Amino acid sequence: MNVSQSPIAAEIAEHLRELVALPSLDQAEAVQRLVNARPYVEDRRQFGASDLWQTPLAFWANGGDCEDYAIAKYMALRVLGFSDAQLRLTILTRRGDHEVHAVLLVAVGADWYAADNLRRGLRRLDGYDGWKPEFSVSD
């Protein structure tokens, strides 16, 4: 798709252009803030379905839930030059109540960070307690 054909794609591209010259960790933090600023909307309320994964453009326009935030962050970081090996869309369950949640794991140097829509900033994975990874996917 040509960015000029989609106002939403053009808006996202403009935000990402501002981040190109930043160091990788700063890019990941900026994407975390940018995407987390979109509205949270549960799938049941938005679509009448229990779980629907959206494209980043649909999410940007309509808001979404945890996996939509993670997918949008994944795509934004890929556009910024992060490799597939640096990104993992990860499904977690919370220890205790087994709530299911999606985050994006981001590798910068030797460290992994969780980009979570429930948190303002990135959190180093070694300090991300209370959750058990179930599976991760990438490209």
Side-chain angles (χ1 to χ4, degrees):
M1 171 195 310
N2 185 336
V3 170
S4 65
Q5 295 173 349
S6 168
I8 294 170
E11 180 183 348
I12 295 167
E14 184 58 35
H15 285 293
L16 296 180
R17 272 194 223 51
E18 297 170 3
L19 307 179
V20 169
L22 296 176
S24 296
L25 186 56
D26 293 341
Q27 286 179 332
E29 283 282 3
V31 166
Q32 167 79 351
R33 288 188 305 274
L34 176 68
V35 174
N36 279 3
R38 306 312 299 171
Y40 181 89
V41 183
E42 290 184 10
D43 288 337
R44 178 101 25 228
R45 184 173 137 222
Q46 189 169 183
F47 305 109
S50 63
D51 196 29
L52 182 74
W53 292 31
Q54 298 185 78
T55 68
L57 296 180
F59 163 74
W60 194 265
N62 304 313
D65 63 2
C66 60
E67 74 276 353
D68 303 316
Y69 285 91
I71 293 166
K73 291 171 190 177
Y74 177 95
M75 295 307 295
L77 291 171
R78 289 289 284 151
V79 166
L80 288 170
F82 280 67
S83 71
D84 184 54
Q86 291 177 278
L87 305 170
R88 296 285 182 269
L89 185 112
T90 303
I91 305 302
L92 312 163
T93 54
R94 185 167 36 206
R95 291 183 171 94
D97 68 1
H98 304 288
E99 177 184 341
V100 177
H101 185 51
V103 300
L104 181 67
L105 299 183
V106 181
V108 179
D111 296 316
W112 282 88
Y113 297 86
D116 187 339
N117 69 294
L118 300 177
R119 302 185 184 276
R120 274 182 72 115
L122 299 177
R123 175 162 293 180
R124 281 178 52 124
L125 192 55
D126 60 6
Y128 202 78
D129 298 327
W131 295 89
K132 175 185 169 195
E134 297 296 339
F135 67 91
S136 291
V137 295
S138 59
D139 193 34

